[in-house]
Amino acid sequence: MNTRPVIDDSSGPVSLSASFNHDASCFSVGLDTGFCDFNAGIGRTEMLERYNYLAIVGGGKNPKFPQNKVGLQRQSFAVRFLTLQQVIIWDDAKRKVAITLDFKTSVLRVRLSKSRIVVALQNSIHVYAFSSPPTRLSVFETADNPLGLCCLGSKIVAFPGRSHGKVQIVELASGNVSIIPAHSSPLRAMDLSPDDSLLATASETGTLIRVYSTGNCARVAELRRGVDSAFIFSIAFSPSNEKVAVTSDKSTLHIFDLPISNGSSQAHSPIRRSASPLTPTEESTNNKWGLLGRLPLLPRVFSDVYSFASAHFEIGEEPMHGYLPALGTSAARPPKGVIGWTDDQTMLVIGAGHDGRWERFKIIEDHGGKRFCVRDGWKRYLGG
C-alpha cells in the first residue's frame, strides 16, 4: 500500500466535458485551463458535424465566459478548450467571437445543426435560428432538467416534458409538439437515431431502456440493462438503427439488438451468422435466462430483452474535490462513458476528468455465431 501523501494532485489539465460530433468522427473536450490564448476554463463544448463551428460554455475554477452565455466558435482543430451562463460562437479564422447568447441562468447544454442552435437551461429549452445575429424562434418549458438533456436532429428536437419522465418532441419545420410518457421517474439519458425516426430514453432508475418511434410516439422496444439501479451515462444508436449501446456507473458497456421488424431505416449492416433461427429478441432473451424466459407467470425480469454483448470500460477514480466540473454532472464527477458509433460494429467510449481517455470497442462473432464485445484499443487524449 502506498501511504505517502499526495504532494500535488492538480498537475496537468483536467477535461470538464467530452462530446462527439454527429457521426463520432471527431470529439471535443473542454479543459479547465482553456485553449490558445484563453487561459480560462471551458465547461462544455459542442461540435457542428465537421464544420468550422463549435459551441462553447465556460466552466471550471476560472471560467472564461459567464456561465449564462453561449458561444459558437469556428474551429480549425478537432479539440477546443473555453462559462456556464454564456454561449460563445468563435470565428477561429478571424480570431474573434462571431455570436454570443446570454442567459440569466446557467447553460447546461448546447446542440447545433446547420439551421438551429438549441440551448438547454434548468427549466427551459431555447431554440434559435443559426444566423448572425441569431433569431430566437421558440422557448419550451420543461421539468427540472439539471443534466441539460436535449437531442437535436435534422427535423426534430427532443427534450424533457413539463412532468418528470415525459418527453417533448417538436417538429422544427411546423412547430408541432408530441408528448411521450416515457418513464414514471425523471429522465437520465436520451438519444435520437441518426435518421430521427427513433428515440431511446432511460430514467434515473437505470434498469430499462425504452425505444419509441418519433413518428407516432409508439413504444417499439423495451431493453433491460439489469436488475439493480444504475446511473446511465450515455445512450447511442448505431448508424443503421439496428443496435443501441448503453453505459452506466457499473463501468459496463451494453449492446442491444433492436427488435424492430419493419425498421425505421434501411438495414445495411453486415449479415449476421447465427447458429439458430431465433429473432434478435428471442436470442437476446434466451441468452440470459434460457427456458425460464418462456415460462408463464414468472416475473417479467425473466422475459425481458437483455443485451447480447457487454464489456468493461474504464470509469476512473476521480477526486471529489480540486476542481469544479461542468454543471449537470453527477456526484461532482466529469462526464464518463460517452458513446459514439463509428460504424455498425465499432464504438468509441470517451471520458473526461484527470484521466481523460478514449477506448475503442468492436463487436465480433465466433464460429458459432455468438457475438462478443471486445476492447480494441485505448489512449489518454490528455497525454498523461
Side-chain angles (χ1 to χ4, degrees):
M1 177 183 296
N2 183 4
T3 60
R4 292 176 297 177
V6 176
I7 297 176
D8 182 9
D9 61 357
S10 62
S11 60
V14 175
S15 55
L16 303 180
S17 69
S19 61
F20 286 102
N21 66 343
H22 72 300
D23 61 358
S25 59
C26 300
F27 70 89
S28 59
V29 298
L31 300 186
D32 64 339
T33 54
F35 81 98
C36 296
D37 54 354
F38 290 140
N39 187 22
I42 304 304
R44 186 170 294 281
T45 65
E46 181 76 14
M47 296 183 67
L48 172 58
E49 300 183 4
R50 299 199 69 171
Y51 292 99
N52 293 353
Y53 293 99
L54 191 77
I56 50 180
V57 181
K61 294 179 181 179
N62 181 29
K64 172 59 186 176
F65 301 104
Q67 298 181 348
N68 59 351
K69 181 174 288 189
V70 177
L72 198 67
Q73 145 179 344
R74 293 193 65 184
Q75 50 101 18
S76 300
F77 308 96
V79 180
R80 279 292 183 266
F81 322 107
L82 290 182
T83 335
L84 291 180
Q85 299 167 332
Q86 184 180 63
V87 178
I88 303 298
I89 299 178
W90 177 260
D91 186 332
D92 200 48
K94 297 181 179 179
R95 309 296 296 170
K96 67 178 185 179
V97 174
I99 298 174
T100 299
L101 298 174
D102 291 290
F103 298 89
K104 295 181 179 180
T105 60
S106 296
V107 175
L108 302 179
R109 184 159 298 181
V110 183
R111 297 295 196 187
L112 301 177
S113 71
K114 295 179 183 178
S115 61
R116 296 291 189 272
I117 302 171
V118 178
V119 180
L121 307 182
Q122 176 78 21
N123 294 106
S124 60
I125 297 291
H126 298 248
V127 181
Y128 294 83
F130 200 128
S131 59
S132 183
T135 302
R136 189 169 70 178
L137 302 177
S138 52
V139 178
F140 300 92
E141 181 182 349
T142 70
D144 283 343
N145 184 20
L147 300 171
L149 298 181
C150 179
C151 299
L152 177 61
S154 59
K155 300 177 182 178
I156 61 176
V157 58
F159 47 86
R162 296 183 180 182
S163 302
H164 287 307
K166 293 185 178 180
V167 178
Q168 296 185 67
I169 297 179
V170 180
E171 297 179 7
L172 295 175
S174 64
N176 292 337
V177 179
S178 301
I179 305 296
I180 297 177
H183 301 269
S184 58
S185 55
L187 298 170
R188 175 61 188 88
M190 63 171 58
D191 185 50
L192 275 175
S193 62
D195 63 357
D196 292 359
S197 65
L198 299 174
L199 175 73
T201 64
S203 74
E204 65 180 11
T205 304
T207 55
L208 295 173
I209 310 299
R210 290 174 176 155
V211 182
Y212 296 88
S213 167
T214 58
N216 57 17
C217 298
R219 185 195 300 178
V220 296
E222 185 172 80
L223 313 170
R224 181 168 287 277
R225 181 211 54 81
V227 179
D228 297 332
S229 295
F231 195 88
I232 300 298
F233 287 153
S234 179
I235 304 175
F237 285 92
S238 66
S240 67
N241 292 7
E242 293 186 344
K243 302 180 186 71
V244 169
V246 178
T247 56
S248 73
D249 64 351
K250 303 294 186 181
S251 198
T252 305
L253 165 69
H254 291 273
I255 305 109
F256 300 84
D257 280 319
L258 282 182
I260 304 172
S261 57
N262 294 327
S264 54
S265 63
Q266 294 182 353
H268 39 265
S269 65
I271 298 176
R272 290 184 50 243
R273 301 185 302 276
S274 178
S276 69
L278 297 176
T279 64
T281 304
E282 294 169 332
E283 184 180 357
S284 298
T285 301
N286 290 343
N287 280 348
K288 181 69 175 180
W289 296 110
L291 292 176
L292 288 177
R294 302 181 183 180
L295 297 179
L297 304 181
L298 288 180
R300 56 170 292 180
V301 67
F302 291 101
S303 58
D304 281 342
V305 179
Y306 287 80
S307 58
F308 68 81
S310 62
H312 172 83
F313 71 94
E314 290 297 327
I315 195 173
E317 297 181 359
E318 296 296 333
M320 305 301 289
H321 57 83
Y323 68 95
L324 297 175
L327 187 62
T329 57
S330 70
R333 294 183 64 130
K336 299 289 185 179
V338 182
I339 308 168
W341 290 81
T342 57
D343 58 50
D344 272 352
Q345 310 301 320
T346 308
M347 293 149 287
L348 296 178
V349 177
I350 58 175
H354 287 281
D355 185 31
R357 67 171 67 197
W358 61 262
E359 299 174 84
R360 183 172 59 238
F361 295 87
K362 285 185 174 293
I363 300 171
I364 62 173
E365 289 187 6
D366 62 16
H367 294 294
K370 182 176 176 59
R371 291 170 293 169
F372 301 88
C373 181
V374 298
R375 190 171 76 162
D376 187 53
W378 71 279
K379 185 176 182 179
R380 288 189 174 92
Y381 59 75
L382 291 180

mmCIF file of all heavy atoms in Angstrom, residues 235-256:
data_model
loop_
_atom_site.group_PDB
_atom_site.id
_atom_site.type_symbol
_atom_site.label_atom_id
_atom_site.label_comp_id
_atom_site.label_asym_id
_atom_site.label_seq_id
_atom_site.Cartn_x
_atom_site.Cartn_y
_atom_site.Cartn_z
ATOM 1 N N ILE A 235 -26.470 6.895 -23.996
ATOM 2 C CA ILE A 235 -27.199 6.000 -24.896
ATOM 3 C C ILE A 235 -26.861 6.432 -26.308
ATOM 4 O O ILE A 235 -26.793 7.628 -26.604
ATOM 5 C CB ILE A 235 -28.720 6.084 -24.699
ATOM 6 C CG1 ILE A 235 -29.101 5.799 -23.246
ATOM 7 C CG2 ILE A 235 -29.447 5.117 -25.626
ATOM 8 C CD1 ILE A 235 -30.591 5.989 -22.974
ATOM 9 N N ALA A 236 -26.653 5.476 -27.206
ATOM 10 C CA ALA A 236 -26.333 5.829 -28.597
ATOM 11 C C ALA A 236 -26.815 4.748 -29.543
ATOM 12 O O ALA A 236 -26.615 3.557 -29.300
ATOM 13 C CB ALA A 236 -24.832 6.043 -28.770
ATOM 14 N N PHE A 237 -27.454 5.175 -30.652
ATOM 15 C CA PHE A 237 -27.879 4.274 -31.712
ATOM 16 C C PHE A 237 -26.721 4.002 -32.666
ATOM 17 O O PHE A 237 -25.883 4.886 -32.915
ATOM 18 C CB PHE A 237 -29.023 4.890 -32.529
ATOM 19 C CG PHE A 237 -30.355 4.886 -31.841
ATOM 20 C CD1 PHE A 237 -30.755 5.978 -31.082
ATOM 21 C CD2 PHE A 237 -31.217 3.816 -31.953
ATOM 22 C CE1 PHE A 237 -31.997 5.995 -30.464
ATOM 23 C CE2 PHE A 237 -32.452 3.810 -31.341
ATOM 24 C CZ PHE A 237 -32.839 4.906 -30.585
ATOM 25 N N SER A 238 -26.707 2.815 -33.236
ATOM 26 C CA SER A 238 -25.750 2.515 -34.299
ATOM 27 C C SER A 238 -26.177 3.243 -35.571
ATOM 28 O O SER A 238 -27.332 3.673 -35.706
ATOM 29 C CB SER A 238 -25.686 1.009 -34.545
ATOM 30 O OG SER A 238 -26.926 0.538 -35.058
ATOM 31 N N PRO A 239 -25.281 3.404 -36.541
ATOM 32 C CA PRO A 239 -25.628 4.149 -37.758
ATOM 33 C C PRO A 239 -26.828 3.591 -38.510
ATOM 34 O O PRO A 239 -27.566 4.340 -39.158
ATOM 35 C CB PRO A 239 -24.343 4.039 -38.604
ATOM 36 C CG PRO A 239 -23.254 3.888 -37.596
ATOM 37 C CD PRO A 239 -23.836 3.063 -36.486
ATOM 38 N N SER A 240 -27.067 2.267 -38.441
ATOM 39 C CA SER A 240 -28.181 1.651 -39.169
ATOM 40 C C SER A 240 -29.453 1.552 -38.341
ATOM 41 O O SER A 240 -30.462 1.030 -38.826
ATOM 42 C CB SER A 240 -27.787 0.243 -39.629
ATOM 43 O OG SER A 240 -27.634 -0.613 -38.506
ATOM 44 N N ASN A 241 -29.442 2.034 -37.111
ATOM 45 C CA ASN A 241 -30.581 1.943 -36.190
ATOM 46 C C ASN A 241 -30.848 0.518 -35.719
ATOM 47 O O ASN A 241 -31.882 0.261 -35.092
ATOM 48 C CB ASN A 241 -31.875 2.469 -36.826
ATOM 49 C CG ASN A 241 -31.868 3.954 -37.072
ATOM 50 O OD1 ASN A 241 -30.848 4.615 -36.894
ATOM 51 N ND2 ASN A 241 -32.989 4.488 -37.500
ATOM 52 N N GLU A 242 -29.953 -0.412 -35.968
ATOM 53 C CA GLU A 242 -30.215 -1.804 -35.613
ATOM 54 C C GLU A 242 -29.742 -2.164 -34.208
ATOM 55 O O GLU A 242 -30.125 -3.211 -33.684
ATOM 56 C CB GLU A 242 -29.541 -2.738 -36.621
ATOM 57 C CG GLU A 242 -30.157 -2.659 -38.008
ATOM 58 C CD GLU A 242 -29.580 -3.690 -38.942
ATOM 59 O OE1 GLU A 242 -28.510 -4.252 -38.630
ATOM 60 O OE2 GLU A 242 -30.191 -3.941 -39.988
ATOM 61 N N LYS A 243 -28.938 -1.312 -33.610
ATOM 62 C CA LYS A 243 -28.407 -1.600 -32.278
ATOM 63 C C LYS A 243 -28.436 -0.326 -31.428
ATOM 64 O O LYS A 243 -28.448 0.794 -31.953
ATOM 65 C CB LYS A 243 -26.966 -2.115 -32.345
ATOM 66 C CG LYS A 243 -26.757 -3.362 -33.184
ATOM 67 C CD LYS A 243 -25.291 -3.776 -33.165
ATOM 68 C CE LYS A 243 -25.025 -4.937 -34.103
ATOM 69 N NZ LYS A 243 -25.109 -4.522 -35.531
ATOM 70 N N VAL A 244 -28.433 -0.543 -30.106
ATOM 71 C CA VAL A 244 -28.326 0.547 -29.150
ATOM 72 C C VAL A 244 -27.264 0.167 -28.137
ATOM 73 O O VAL A 244 -27.223 -0.979 -27.667
ATOM 74 C CB VAL A 244 -29.668 0.806 -28.427
ATOM 75 C CG1 VAL A 244 -29.472 1.751 -27.255
ATOM 76 C CG2 VAL A 244 -30.681 1.400 -29.380
ATOM 77 N N ALA A 245 -26.394 1.112 -27.805
ATOM 78 C CA ALA A 245 -25.365 0.894 -26.789
ATOM 79 C C ALA A 245 -25.646 1.787 -25.590
ATOM 80 O O ALA A 245 -26.136 2.916 -25.739
ATOM 81 C CB ALA A 245 -23.981 1.178 -27.352
ATOM 82 N N VAL A 246 -25.327 1.279 -24.403
ATOM 83 C CA VAL A 246 -25.606 1.986 -23.157
ATOM 84 C C VAL A 246 -24.417 1.814 -22.217
ATOM 85 O O VAL A 246 -23.848 0.722 -22.115
ATOM 86 C CB VAL A 246 -26.876 1.423 -22.472
ATOM 87 C CG1 VAL A 246 -27.131 2.144 -21.145
ATOM 88 C CG2 VAL A 246 -28.075 1.554 -23.384
ATOM 89 N N THR A 247 -24.041 2.881 -21.526
ATOM 90 C CA THR A 247 -23.032 2.800 -20.468
ATOM 91 C C THR A 247 -23.638 3.298 -19.167
ATOM 92 O O THR A 247 -24.578 4.099 -19.160
ATOM 93 C CB THR A 247 -21.782 3.644 -20.789
ATOM 94 O OG1 THR A 247 -22.196 5.005 -21.034
ATOM 95 C CG2 THR A 247 -21.051 3.100 -22.002
ATOM 96 N N SER A 248 -23.071 2.841 -18.057
ATOM 97 C CA SER A 248 -23.576 3.237 -16.745
ATOM 98 C C SER A 248 -22.437 3.283 -15.741
ATOM 99 O O SER A 248 -21.289 2.952 -16.064
ATOM 100 C CB SER A 248 -24.648 2.246 -16.264
ATOM 101 O OG SER A 248 -24.047 1.019 -15.884
ATOM 102 N N ASP A 249 -22.784 3.681 -14.503
ATOM 103 C CA ASP A 249 -21.769 3.752 -13.457
ATOM 104 C C ASP A 249 -21.353 2.370 -12.955
ATOM 105 O O ASP A 249 -20.519 2.276 -12.060
ATOM 106 C CB ASP A 249 -22.252 4.623 -12.301
ATOM 107 C CG ASP A 249 -23.469 4.048 -11.591
ATOM 108 O OD1 ASP A 249 -24.046 3.063 -12.079
ATOM 109 O OD2 ASP A 249 -23.860 4.603 -10.537
ATOM 110 N N LYS A 250 -21.902 1.324 -13.526
ATOM 111 C CA LYS A 250 -21.415 -0.025 -13.250
ATOM 112 C C LYS A 250 -20.137 -0.317 -14.036
ATOM 113 O O LYS A 250 -19.593 -1.424 -13.961
ATOM 114 C CB LYS A 250 -22.476 -1.061 -13.612
ATOM 115 C CG LYS A 250 -23.806 -0.883 -12.911
ATOM 116 C CD LYS A 250 -23.697 -1.097 -11.424
ATOM 117 C CE LYS A 250 -25.081 -1.043 -10.771
ATOM 118 N NZ LYS A 250 -25.011 -1.238 -9.307
ATOM 119 N N SER A 251 -19.683 0.672 -14.813
ATOM 120 C CA SER A 251 -18.475 0.542 -15.626
ATOM 121 C C SER A 251 -18.638 -0.535 -16.694
ATOM 122 O O SER A 251 -17.672 -1.216 -17.063
ATOM 123 C CB SER A 251 -17.253 0.237 -14.752
ATOM 124 O OG SER A 251 -16.054 0.500 -15.435
ATOM 125 N N THR A 252 -19.870 -0.665 -17.205
ATOM 126 C CA THR A 252 -20.168 -1.683 -18.200
ATOM 127 C C THR A 252 -20.818 -1.055 -19.421
ATOM 128 O O THR A 252 -21.711 -0.213 -19.303
ATOM 129 C CB THR A 252 -21.093 -2.761 -17.623
ATOM 130 O OG1 THR A 252 -20.513 -3.316 -16.445
ATOM 131 C CG2 THR A 252 -21.313 -3.882 -18.630
ATOM 132 N N LEU A 253 -20.354 -1.465 -20.589
ATOM 133 C CA LEU A 253 -20.952 -1.097 -21.867
ATOM 134 C C LEU A 253 -21.843 -2.249 -22.312
ATOM 135 O O LEU A 253 -21.377 -3.384 -22.435
ATOM 136 C CB LEU A 253 -19.848 -0.836 -22.896
ATOM 137 C CG LEU A 253 -20.260 -0.773 -24.364
ATOM 138 C CD1 LEU A 253 -21.104 0.470 -24.637
ATOM 139 C CD2 LEU A 253 -19.015 -0.773 -25.266
ATOM 140 N N HIS A 254 -23.129 -1.975 -22.540
ATOM 141 C CA HIS A 254 -24.082 -2.981 -23.012
ATOM 142 C C HIS A 254 -24.477 -2.673 -24.451
ATOM 143 O O HIS A 254 -24.690 -1.503 -24.806
ATOM 144 C CB HIS A 254 -25.344 -2.995 -22.153
ATOM 145 C CG HIS A 254 -25.138 -3.504 -20.759
ATOM 146 N ND1 HIS A 254 -25.217 -4.838 -20.436
ATOM 147 C CD2 HIS A 254 -24.861 -2.853 -19.602
ATOM 148 C CE1 HIS A 254 -24.998 -4.993 -19.134
ATOM 149 N NE2 HIS A 254 -24.774 -3.794 -18.604
ATOM 150 N N ILE A 255 -24.606 -3.709 -25.276
ATOM 151 C CA ILE A 255 -25.079 -3.548 -26.652
ATOM 152 C C ILE A 255 -26.312 -4.407 -26.854
ATOM 153 O O ILE A 255 -26.315 -5.603 -26.542
ATOM 154 C CB ILE A 255 -24.007 -3.921 -27.688
ATOM 155 C CG1 ILE A 255 -22.730 -3.116 -27.446
ATOM 156 C CG2 ILE A 255 -24.502 -3.661 -29.094
ATOM 157 C CD1 ILE A 255 -21.607 -3.909 -26.918
ATOM 158 N N PHE A 256 -27.375 -3.794 -27.376
ATOM 159 C CA PHE A 256 -28.658 -4.450 -27.593
ATOM 160 C C PHE A 256 -28.992 -4.492 -29.079
ATOM 161 O O PHE A 256 -28.690 -3.547 -29.820
ATOM 162 C CB PHE A 256 -29.788 -3.689 -26.891
ATOM 163 C CG PHE A 256 -29.650 -3.558 -25.404
ATOM 164 C CD1 PHE A 256 -28.893 -2.542 -24.850
ATOM 165 C CD2 PHE A 256 -30.304 -4.437 -24.552
ATOM 166 C CE1 PHE A 256 -28.784 -2.397 -23.474
ATOM 167 C CE2 PHE A 256 -30.201 -4.305 -23.174
ATOM 168 C CZ PHE A 256 -29.433 -3.291 -22.637
#
